[in-house]
Amino acid sequence: GAVVSQHPSWVICKSGTSVKIECRSLDFQATTMFWYRQFPKQSLMLMATSNEGSKATYEQGVEKDKFLINHASLTLSTLTVTSAHPEDSSFYICSARGEILNTEAFFGQGTRLTVV
Amino acid sequence: AQKITQTQPGMFVQEKEAVTLDCTYDTSDQSYGLFWYKQPSSGEMIFLIYQGSYDEQNATEGRYSLNFQKARKSANLVISASQLGDSAMYFCAMRGVYNNNDMRFGAGTRLTVKP
């Protein structure tokens, strides 16, 4: 199956700093990428949807100025957590969709963010 | 709006036995896809099985089968011959045709396989 690479796999940062997470589709062009957040023992909650070359669509309750998403190319989307706070500590995972609509979503390995 | 419901927070099964993980959904879309993913403690999402809303046959993938009952809007996952390595979180998910094909997840079921 297609490969989606997400980096870093884990990161620890200080409160107030920004952290960038990358999501790359390695062997296909991802027209759409999705960013999810997962708190411990909870489900994946969709944060935003990004389409290449356009602004991301954020889910209700997700601050777009705090979680900056850039989908500059068909193989790369980035999520930047700005001015991180301890409550932003979570597991962030991206998925990418190619041109075939009914295939599985391909997920990155996830990034465990800890804000201290 | 789409909604996925998994009512079993945790399930136990004896090794080598079969287990059914429940999933119901609600959508106004006529065309949609249903998915099951396994998430071990490492966090990665492992695709297990897919069922299209217009598929007449229940999907099967090795030891995994999906009991799709469209009229009841249920898509239960059946794991046969459970193995210790099957212990993990299992998520049911749905993707519609609209809204960029985003995928929504149920709350998940933690499966524990006992030796």
Side-chain angles (χ1 to χ4, degrees), chain A residues 7-73:
Chain A
H7 291 281
S9 56
W10 62 270
V11 59
I12 301 173
C13 71
K14 291 185 177 181
S15 291
T17 62
S18 296
V19 174
K20 180 184 284 188
I21 302 170
E22 292 188 348
C23 181
R24 294 180 184 273
S25 57
L26 298 184
D27 54 0
F28 70 104
Q29 292 185 327
T31 54
T32 305
M33 289 189 175
F34 306 95
W35 287 96
Y36 294 86
R37 180 166 59 182
Q38 185 180 29
F39 291 110
K41 298 185 179 181
Q42 295 189 23
S43 186
L44 281 73
M45 299 302 295
L46 181 67
M47 298 175 66
T49 302
S50 71
N51 292 296
E52 185 266 338
S54 62
K55 289 184 178 180
T57 302
Y58 290 82
E59 294 297 300
Q60 192 172 10
V62 178
E63 300 175 58
K64 62 180 180 181
D65 294 330
K66 180 168 185 62
F67 298 100
L68 300 179
I69 292 173
N70 184 278
H71 194 159
S73 75

Side-chain angles (χ1 to χ4, degrees), chain B residues 34-55:
Chain B
L34 296 158
F35 303 78
W36 277 92
Y37 283 87
K38 172 184 177 181
Q39 187 182 44
S41 57
S42 61
E44 61 183 311
M45 296 293 285
I46 301 170
F47 168 75
L48 297 179
I49 198 166
Y50 164 83
Q51 178 86 41
S53 59
Y54 289 113
D55 294 341

Side-chain angles (χ1 to χ4, degrees), chain B residues 61-80:
Chain B
E61 289 285 347
R63 295 187 297 113
Y64 305 107
S65 60
L66 200 152
N67 184 0
F68 181 46
Q69 298 187 42
K70 191 172 182 178
R72 300 176 67 177
K73 294 188 175 179
S74 74
N76 298 340
L77 175 70
V78 180
I79 305 175
S80 62

